Amino acid sequence: MPVVNRIADLADEMKGWRRTLHAAPEIGFDCHETAGFIVARLREFGVDEIHEGIATSGVVALIRGRGEGPVIGLRADMDALPMEEETGLPHASANKGAMHGCGHDGHSSMLLGAAKYLAETRNFAGSVALIFQPAEEGGGGAGVMVEEGVMERFGIGEVFALHNEPGLPVGHFRTAPGAIMAAVDDFTITVTGKGGHGAMPQDAADPVVAACGIVTAIQTIVSRNHDAREDLVISVTQIHTGSADNVIPATAWINGTVRSFDKGVQAMVMRRMREICEGQAMAYGVRADLDYNLGYPATINDADRAGFAAEVAGEVGLASDPDSPRAMGAEDFSFMLEARPGAYLFIGNGETAGVHHPEYDFNDETAPYGASFFARLVERAQPARG
């Protein structure tokens, strides 16, 4: 197995940490017990500094190497999803309505494994900042940590992260220079008309028909306003209105998501949605109010760091794809990459259920590869002196 020998010896320990975390998932910024478990392990390892309570429950720990040098940041997310687990495993979630359905328990355990090795060996110059982050699943915890000054406070010069990928074989990595994941926005359109009797529509201003017209028009943004050579997805995912078959309601709500990579494309979508709402409202005699929420920006890897990370991944894994296709999913590590150069990689989880699926479970065979990647990345990026 092409992983670091000492980290291979930690495989069972990482499995134990991971399953402990899996059984006690926490959501959003409320990751206090998770952070407490992580801090206890870090203290056992003898790291040099531990800073708690960042972005409510986030943790940053520092390990100093041999001699002066830069600071490299390694990030793992800690939060779970608001969903019920259906694995039936002995270590399944004991917290109703919460599940580690995206593998953040595995990400934290891989970073803990790397931390134990790095604290023991310290075969690097400068320092490594271990970033354990809450609220990746919708809360933008990475952005909050950046806003609270973690990059400046700890002198972090570059930053890296891993995410498991079901369907990619264990021991395989993939990444890409430039954009690797999309920006994600959401929108809500409130259509306000005039309610009335279903038998007398002439006395009403029907928001249902107007909502249908707005949805149909939104579909033309991708097909008629957008350059087909750029990736863009707009999905209307909810329409809510009405209460009875013979009542024309007064209000309808439309909701959806937008995925893009280019800020110019993003601006065009916002402009066209405003124009569509105004035009359709006038056409149907209703009011249409657009609430467009800018979410996570696109995850954009620094080309040089992505190439270097792929090289390191190839050293500790069975295979590494340095130029894989970008995905339309989103990731709040993008905020950290806006603040500092770095790279985001995917690591194989094997043939498991997909992330966000109630039968998903992180593959513990993956952990030695991820921990070895983090450790070797530090040693290669900041080689020890003397």
Side-chain angles (χ1 to χ4, degrees):
M1 189 164 73
V3 302
V4 175
N5 288 337
R6 173 61 180 134
I7 291 177
D9 293 340
L10 298 176
D12 286 342
E13 202 166 359
M14 285 190 285
K15 180 192 294 185
W17 300 333
R18 204 278 300 179
R19 295 187 176 189
T20 297
L21 292 173
H22 188 92
E26 295 176 293
I27 296 170
F29 290 96
D30 186 18
C31 291
H32 299 286
E33 290 187 12
T34 302
F37 177 88
I38 289 167
V39 166
R41 305 289 80 71
L42 294 170
R43 288 198 175 111
E44 291 172 1
F45 305 160
V47 303
D48 296 291
E49 296 179 26
I50 300 175
H51 302 266
E52 302 177 64
I54 303 170
T56 305
S57 60
V59 177
V60 175
L62 298 179
I63 304 174
R64 298 188 184 93
R66 303 177 191 177
E68 297 297 316
V71 182
I72 186 171
L74 306 176
R75 173 271 208 171
D77 35 18
M78 301 187 295
D79 60 316
L81 287 159
M83 59 186 291
E84 293 291 340
E85 181 165 351
E86 297 178 6
T87 63
L89 294 168
H91 58 274
S93 172
N95 295 342
K96 185 174 178 58
M99 175 194 176
H100 270 298
C102 202
H104 297 184
D105 51 341
H107 302 166
S108 292
S109 297
M110 290 190 291
L111 189 52
L112 282 174
K116 184 166 186 176
Y117 168 84
L118 291 167
E120 290 176 352
T121 59
R122 299 181 187 260
N123 189 29
F124 59 94
S127 300
V128 55
L130 310 165
I131 305 167
F132 294 91
Q133 176 216 308
E136 189 280 325
E137 297 288 356
V144 176
M145 294 188 90
V146 170
E147 289 171 3
E148 292 187 6
V150 294
M151 300 302 173
E152 296 79 14
R153 178 179 174 185
F154 302 107
I156 298 169
E158 55 185 355
V159 64
F160 297 84
L162 285 175
H163 199 294
N164 76 95
E165 182 174 5
L168 186 67
V170 172
H172 289 233
F173 296 79
R174 71 176 185 88
T175 190
I180 188 168
M181 296 190 80
V184 56
D185 304 329
D186 63 80
F187 62 90
T188 300
I189 302 169
T190 303
V191 184
T192 305
K194 179 183 176 184
H197 198 296
M200 294 171 279
Q202 71 276 10
D203 296 328
D206 193 343
V208 178
V209 177
C212 292
I214 290 170
V215 171
T216 300
I218 285 173
Q219 304 309 306
T220 68
I221 296 175
V222 174
S223 66
R224 288 297 174 266
N225 303 128
H226 177 60
D227 187 334
R229 294 169 294 182
E230 295 285 341
D231 292 331
L232 174 64
V233 171
I234 304 175
S235 292
V236 175
T237 54
Q238 299 182 74
I239 301 177
H240 298 284
T241 189
S243 60
D245 64 315
N246 61 350
V247 175
I248 295 172
T251 309
W253 293 269
I254 303 164
N255 179 256
T257 185
V258 179
R259 309 293 173 120
S260 62
F261 290 93
D262 182 85
K263 290 186 183 296
V265 170
Q266 188 181 52
M268 179 275 292
V269 172
M270 288 190 285
R271 174 180 59 81
R272 285 296 295 133
M273 281 201 173
R274 284 193 297 269
E275 293 170 349
I276 286 169
C277 287
E278 291 170 2
Q280 295 291 318
M282 184 177 295
Y284 289 100
V286 298
R287 176 176 171 178
D289 296 307
L290 171 66
D291 180 13
Y292 192 100
N293 177 48
L294 294 172
Y296 298 169
T299 304
I300 301 177
N301 286 339
D302 176 84
D304 291 340
R305 267 75 172 191
F308 173 69
E311 184 179 310
V312 173
E315 292 179 9
V316 301
L318 301 176
S320 176
D321 180 358
D323 194 18
S324 65
R326 58 192 187 179
M328 299 309 291
E331 163 62 66
D332 78 343
F333 186 65
S334 55
F335 291 110
M336 292 190 178
L337 289 178
E338 286 190 330
R340 292 293 186 271
Y344 183 84
L345 295 84
F346 290 96
I347 181 171
N349 203 57
E351 293 303 321
T352 66
V355 294
H356 295 220
H357 189 282
E359 295 181 0
Y360 168 85
D361 190 39
F362 179 83
N363 189 339
D364 290 308
E365 294 181 5
T366 294
Y369 291 99
S372 294
F373 166 78
F374 279 139
R376 288 294 294 137
L377 185 74
V378 174
E379 292 174 341
R380 283 283 311 277
Q382 299 172 188
R385 301 168 184 173

